[in-house]
Amino acid sequence: MNPNSWISKTRSELGLILQDMQIEHLEKNWIYLATAMIGFMVVILSIGAVFLHLNPPSHWETIDSASLHLGGEFAEDKLGVQPSKPSDVIIQVKLVAARYGFFPREIVVPADKKIQFRMASLDVLHGAHIPMTNMSTMIVPGHISEVTTVFPKPGEYPLLCNEYCGMGHDHMWSKVTVLSQNDWDARKNEGKQP
Amino acid sequence: MKGFLLSLICLGLAGPVLAEPSSEEPSSKVAWTLETLNFVKKGNAENGKILTESGKILTAKSCADCHNETSSNPQLDGQLPTYLYKQLVDYKNGNRKDPAATMNDWASKLSEQNMADLAAYYGKQAAKPGKGGASDPTGIVSVGDGKRMEPACSSCHGGSGQGEKVDTPRLAGQKAVYLENTLLDYREGKRANDIYSRMRLIASKLSDLEIEQLAKYYSTLD
């Protein structure tokens, strides 16, 4: 090691014994490569965050988690699949995650249509995940989580919490029924879904 | 200028809320914000003790005249202060209804501070344990029932029925008749001060027999 390099000087100032550090040629190459990769990724992330505004989706809107039920969009009578017209492109679903369930516990949505989930936590950190689909997000207390997805396949799906939230975490799941477009229209005509 | 701007902002925020069509009342007006939690925590047990005595709130009655060993009214000693405080507020606001209206009348005479003091007093008393030998034939206490989406009682009310700090009552040693009535009331929606219907949903999936067995389990739990 070069005795005039800053690291050698610092070491001698600190009274550390000057040792020659042996770094293999191949090892050195890997260090350069790894450092370059990390640098490259940091640059990409920074460009994304600063210029393209690619930030975690759950951190845009804040809400007071403790008083969700007192009013506003997560009031007790405003939850679930929101009323929609046949011409609507997006169907909105509002859910509250609270230990230990998603409320309402059961929802029915149509297949092949954009479903926008808006979710908030009443207490601690939760996750929302529907297996076999791409619907998955964190629900951070104090923030509204919004995720939009399309369910291509009708069927019954569980909506699971995938962030450990307490002793009843393994009981925290709710049911999502995805109906084919015909069944959905029939349900609307029967007046079961405004 | 700053104040003017602030009030403008507040008006702007309040505007859309006020403009929304009036919705249903929430099941409880208590929100467990940090301020409320600290307020309940600072309740004065000494003042609470005085309030429980005869003639302080009700003219000729003390709390213990009704909340005693012989009645079917709930055991209050050792109950969690947050839970007691919320029940009193809910009684006052009419979110929880006493069929005899006694508790509603009584709570309507209390100030917020009175409620925190009473909650602190009962929270400090030693809980009366059950006589022991509790067994749960339903299996719902410790494992719940996945097929019915029924979580285990113990996941919220604790492994030994001790309750949980924020608004989850202690169940161990509570009177069986009170527990049974409460679960039945939740199931029928007569009691509806649980936020997001959490207990109503849980109770709605229980049979009469299970309710009886669960009530017996927690009343004997020591």
Side-chain angles (χ1 to χ4, degrees), chain B residues 193-212:
Chain B
N193 67 329
D194 52 332
I195 296 166
Y196 294 117
S197 316
R198 284 189 283 182
M199 269 315 292
R200 273 172 280 172
L201 286 166
I202 289 169
S204 69
K205 291 169 190 166
L206 296 173
S207 69
D208 285 347
L209 180 66
E210 283 171 327
I211 286 179
E212 194 191 317

Side-chain angles (χ1 to χ4, degrees), chain A residues 4-188:
Chain A
N4 292 324
S5 73
W6 67 271
I7 194 152
S8 307
K9 280 182 192 157
T10 321
R11 281 167 66 139
S12 60
E13 272 165 28
L14 290 168
L16 297 168
I17 308 151
L18 214 90
Q19 274 178 333
D20 224 4
M21 203 191 282
Q22 210 51 63
I23 301 178
E24 295 291 331
H25 179 66
L26 208 56
E27 215 174 2
K28 228 179 213 172
N29 284 350
W30 278 111
I31 291 172
Y32 291 143
L33 183 66
T35 314
M37 278 169 75
I38 292 167
F40 177 70
M41 284 183 240
V42 168
V43 168
I44 295 266
L45 283 177
S46 310
I47 291 171
V50 176
F51 298 106
L52 305 173
H53 304 293
L54 296 173
N55 298 305
S58 51
H59 285 239
W60 288 107
E61 290 174 81
T62 56
I63 194 162
D64 181 14
S65 271
S67 45
L68 287 183
H69 65 289
L70 294 185
E73 67 168 308
F74 292 100
E76 286 163 300
D77 55 333
K78 297 225 171 81
L79 297 182
V81 182
Q82 303 297 305
S84 61
K85 293 191 285 292
S87 56
D88 286 353
V89 184
I90 291 182
I91 290 179
Q92 204 177 47
V93 178
K94 284 179 186 167
L95 294 174
V96 164
R99 293 192 298 173
Y100 294 101
F102 297 91
F103 299 91
R105 298 301 306 266
E106 296 184 25
I107 54 166
V108 180
V109 291
D112 296 322
K113 195 147 191 171
K114 275 189 181 167
I115 312 288
Q116 183 193 58
F117 287 90
R118 278 175 73 78
M119 297 172 288
S121 164
L122 181 69
D123 35 49
V124 296
L125 178 71
H126 295 287
H129 174 54
I130 303 180
M132 318 293 205
T133 73
N134 68 349
M135 150 59 177
S136 182
T137 188
M138 250 177 164
I139 307 173
V140 185
H143 295 274
I144 297 172
S145 296
E146 192 184 288
V147 64
T148 306
T149 191
V150 175
F151 299 115
K153 232 175 125 181
E156 283 184 358
Y157 297 84
L159 170 60
L160 308 169
C161 176
N162 61 3
E163 296 282 345
Y164 182 75
C165 57
M167 294 301 284
H169 168 64
D170 53 335
H171 289 285
M172 185 160 169
W173 58 284
S174 294
K175 197 167 105 182
V176 178
T177 308
V178 178
L179 294 181
S180 65
Q181 202 59 55
N182 286 342
D183 291 346
W184 174 256
D185 292 341
R187 185 181 162 83
K188 294 269 285 182

Side-chain angles (χ1 to χ4, degrees), chain B residues 1-12:
Chain B
M1 186 64 197
K2 225 179 193 177
F4 174 70
L5 274 178
L6 266 177
S7 54
L8 257 185
I9 292 168
C10 288
L11 270 176

Side-chain angles (χ1 to χ4, degrees), chain B residues 33-74:
Chain B
T33 57
L34 205 57
E35 296 85 65
T36 317
L37 283 171
N38 283 332
F39 178 72
V40 176
K41 206 173 164 186
K42 285 188 194 133
N44 186 329
E46 297 289 310
N47 289 344
K49 185 177 170 23
I50 297 166
L51 287 172
T52 65
E53 285 162 8
S54 171
K56 293 296 173 198
I57 309 281
L58 287 181
T59 37
K61 273 197 165 176
S62 74
C63 294
D65 283 347
C66 297
H67 291 275
N68 53 34
E69 293 294 318
T70 48
S71 72
S72 62
N73 299 316

